[in-house]
Every structure is written in C-alpha cells, then in structure tokens.
C-alpha cells in the first residue's frame, strides 16, 4: 500500500479539491517546481490545467486572462533539472 501511495502522490498526498484550487490560483501564471521528487504533483497540476483548457474550449469561452502558456507542460516548470 505504501509503495502504491508513493508512486501516485510522492511523500505528500494531494486531493482533487486542492489540485483544483491550485489550478485556479495558477491560472495564467503556472508554477515553478522546486525539489519535488518525481513530479507527481506537477503531473496532477498539468492534468488539471488541461481539463480546464478543454472545458473552456468546449464552452467556446475565451480564457479569463491572456495566458502566454501555449504548451500545457509550461504550467509547471522544473527548477532543478538534476543535470549535475
């Protein structure tokens, strides 16, 4: 069970309402990921952003902001690329 939890969430679990709220807060700005392990939170946030964009497209509503984020993966940028 613990290994399954770590694979899905990392050391600190997230909830859907939390990821949705962070998605609202990061709308048009995104996040910088610092020392975040294997990127589980980043994947959850990128998935949330993609859902948000799809919903806006389906509703044919322009985004509330003029987001420069064209690539959904730009929503969470890794600060430490572990290149050393």
């Amino acid at each position: 069970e613990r290994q399954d939890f770590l694979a899905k969430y990392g050391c600190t679990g997230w909830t859907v309402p939390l990821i949705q709220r962070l998605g609202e807060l990061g709308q048009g700005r995104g996040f910088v990921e610092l020392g975040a392990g294997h990127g589980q939170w980043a994947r959850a946030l990128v998935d949330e952003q993609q859902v948000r964009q799809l919903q806006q497209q389906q509703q044919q509503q322009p985004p509330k902001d003029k987001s420069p984020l064209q690539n959904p993966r730009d929503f969470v940028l890794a600060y430490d690329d572990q290149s050393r």
Side-chain angles (χ1 to χ4, degrees):
E1 282 183 30
R2 175 152 173 75
Q3 291 304 320
D4 292 340
F5 179 90
L6 290 173
K8 182 173 182 175
Y9 298 106
C11 291
T12 305
W14 46 264
T15 63
V16 172
L18 176 62
I19 293 296
Q20 290 172 338
R21 180 65 179 137
L22 289 173
E24 292 169 9
L25 293 172
Q27 187 76 18
R29 294 178 291 207
F31 296 94
V32 174
E33 181 182 44
L34 298 170
H38 296 288
Q40 292 94 335
W41 281 69
R43 280 191 293 280
L45 287 165
V46 167
D47 290 348
E48 170 63 22
Q49 179 66 11
Q50 290 174 329
V51 167
R52 230 174 247 292
Q53 289 174 346
L54 182 60
Q55 288 171 343
Q56 287 174 346
Q57 289 171 357
Q58 289 175 341
Q59 295 172 358
Q60 296 181 349
Q61 293 178 353
K64 293 180 182 178
D65 60 353
K66 306 282 190 224
S67 174
L69 304 174
Q70 299 300 322
N71 182 347
R73 293 196 183 275
D74 290 344
F75 189 66
V76 180
L77 299 177
Y79 177 77
D80 181 6
D81 64 4
Q82 299 179 8
S83 60
R84 288 201 236 182

